[in-house]
Structure formats: C-alpha cells, structure tokens
Amino acid sequence: MTTILITNDDGIHSPGLAALEAAMATLGNTVIVAPDRDNSAVSHSLTINRPLKLTRHGVARYDVNGTPADCVVLGLSKVLREPPALVVSGFNLGPNLGDDIAYSGTVSAAVEGTMKGCPSIAFSTEYSTDGWDFDFSMETARRVAARVLERGLPGNTLLNVNIPKGHVNRETRITCQGRRQWEGDILEVSDPRGRIHYWIGGGSPISDRTSGSDVSALEEGFVSITPIHLDHTNHEFLRSFREQWGL
Ligand SMILES: [Mg+2]
C-alpha cells in the first residue's frame, strides 16, 4: 500500500494543500499532517519550548499547532505506523526559488522528510492574475511524484519543484539553485503611539538570470525541478581550505 504524507507551510486551510491532496490521492493513500495556521518563512524550525497538540479532523487529516518540520516529525513518528512511500509539501502559494529555499517552510518540510530517509518533494506554485490555477500544478505534481515513486531518489536528496503561472510552454527544466534576493522588503510602519516598527516581507525580487537556474526557468515559463542535497559543504573549496589556511 502506497502511503503519501502531505504537509505544507501555509496551513491546513490553504487551497494549495487541498489541491496537492487531490493530486496525490490518485497515487496512493494520503495522510495530511499540516500546521494549524500560516507558517510561511519559518524555515526548518522545530518547536522545543512548549508541547505540541496533534488534532484529528477526520480520516487521515490532522493539524499541529507547530511548524512544517514539527508536522513531518509527528507525522512520521506518531501518526503513521510505517514510513510513507513519499513525503510531499505544498502547493506553496508562491514560488520558492534561489535564496527563498533558506527561508521556506515548504522546502524545509521536505528536508525533514529526507533527513528521516523518506523520498520527499516540495511543490510551489506561482500566482497568476487569474488567481491560483492548480490544474497544471496538479498534473505536474502527479507526474513528478509518480516518477519518484517508481525510481526513488538518491540519499540525502529532495526535489524542489516550482510551477509557473500561465504554463505557456508546459515544459520542464531540471535546474540548479539560483539566487533570488528581495529589494525594499522592509516596510517601516508606526504604531498608534507613533513608534516605528519594521515589517519584513513583500518587496521586489532581484533575480540573477544564470542559465540553468530555478529562477531563470520559472521566468521563462518552465516548470523547474531542482535536486537539493542536504550537505551544504563547499566541496570545491574544502581541499584548499584544509591545506592552505593553516587553521
Ligand atoms: Mg508558504
């Protein structure tokens, strides 16, 4: 029996989660363990300073008052009796490209699944002015997940899948992680007493258009699939760092 654990970072009520659940239901038995509210940009944080509540909302549907990583930890250790065939996270409402990956709760949930030895995929969808059109995202997720179920993934490796708006050419690019930083993303706001506060978020992305990157693939309207490795070591630098720095 193929069991697929599904989570996200936008929370259990996100339409993206419902769409991913519908897509995965054609491939296996789905089990949802998702945060009870929006946890975007919480990265891989684990809740260790308070107990967590796992609330059942129906057959194979739970929320947790914690982070996406908490959800995967509890899903694998307390909800499922056996490791799932697949852990999927998404559809995030907005892409996770380049530097976004460091902040993303969506991707971090897939990282947690990978750390626990399960094939894991993060799915993110780009917003279009027509709203969230999940049809193409669902079709893409089914195609990618089916292939991972069939072939597995190398150790310590997850897939970060981004689906463009419009999907004009409906093609896929296998990409590397690019760079995408944000400009003007700190809003200065004042409270009712006139004190200044700073609100991080928003702004405009500054993308590098390195060919072959996730950022450029999406800008060109392609689905981007990046294999992400858990090892952050700069292996190219390792040898000269060891031999020449005298540390
Ligand atoms: Mg999100």
Side-chain angles (χ1 to χ4, degrees):
M1 188 187 301
T2 302
T3 301
I4 302 173
L5 178 65
I6 307 176
T7 191
N8 72 348
D9 77 356
D10 296 326
I12 194 154
H13 301 296
S14 170
L17 181 74
L20 185 57
E21 179 186 23
M24 294 299 107
T26 59
L27 300 173
N29 292 329
T30 58
V31 178
I32 286 186
V33 184
D36 64 354
R37 65 197 71 186
D38 189 358
N39 269 259
S40 294
V42 302
S43 189
H44 202 139
S45 59
L46 278 181
T47 304
I48 58 170
N49 293 318
R50 60 176 173 83
L52 290 169
K53 193 172 175 197
L54 179 70
T55 307
R56 191 173 180 188
H57 290 283
V59 179
R61 189 176 186 86
Y62 302 80
D63 75 24
V64 175
N65 57 345
T67 67
D70 293 333
C71 290
V72 174
V73 167
L74 292 184
L76 296 178
S77 60
K78 299 295 173 189
V79 176
L80 298 176
R81 292 202 183 126
E82 290 177 0
L86 198 60
V87 174
V88 295
S89 176
F91 292 109
N92 187 63
L93 303 183
N96 278 304
L97 302 164
D99 297 16
D100 301 341
I101 291 171
Y103 303 107
S104 169
T106 306
V107 175
S108 296
V111 170
E112 183 62 34
T114 306
M115 286 166 63
K116 294 290 194 291
C118 303
S120 303
I121 314 170
F123 291 104
S124 303
T125 295
E126 194 176 35
Y127 184 74
S128 127
T129 46
D130 300 330
W132 298 105
D133 170 12
F134 291 116
D135 289 350
F136 181 59
S137 295
M138 290 168 67
E139 184 188 317
T140 302
R142 266 193 295 266
R143 182 167 61 85
V144 175
R147 189 57 63 88
V148 169
L149 285 169
E150 185 186 303
R151 302 183 70 121
L153 284 172
N156 300 327
T157 304
L158 57 128
L159 299 183
N160 182 36
V161 181
N162 281 279
I163 298 129
K165 64 186 172 190
H167 49 82
V168 180
N169 52 42
R170 305 177 77 86
E171 285 179 41
T172 294
R173 291 282 183 266
I174 304 301
T175 57
C176 58
Q177 179 179 357
R179 297 295 313 273
R180 188 167 85 137
Q181 294 179 299
W182 294 83
E183 188 175 51
D185 62 338
I186 304 177
L187 199 63
E188 210 172 285
V189 291
S190 53
D191 70 15
R193 294 179 187 171
R195 292 171 300 202
I196 298 295
H197 296 256
Y198 299 97
W199 201 336
I200 297 175
S204 319
I206 314 171
S207 307
D208 83 342
R209 293 184 174 77
T210 309
S211 103
S213 76
D214 52 0
V215 175
S216 56
L218 219 71
E219 280 185 357
E220 290 161 21
F222 296 108
V223 172
S224 166
I225 308 182
T226 311
I228 303 276
H229 200 273
L230 296 188
D231 181 358
H232 291 189
T233 311
N234 182 343
H235 286 279
E236 265 178 54
F237 179 50
L238 197 57
R239 188 165 166 195
S240 68
F241 189 49
R242 268 192 190 125
E243 291 172 359
Q244 296 168 14
W245 279 57
L247 293 172

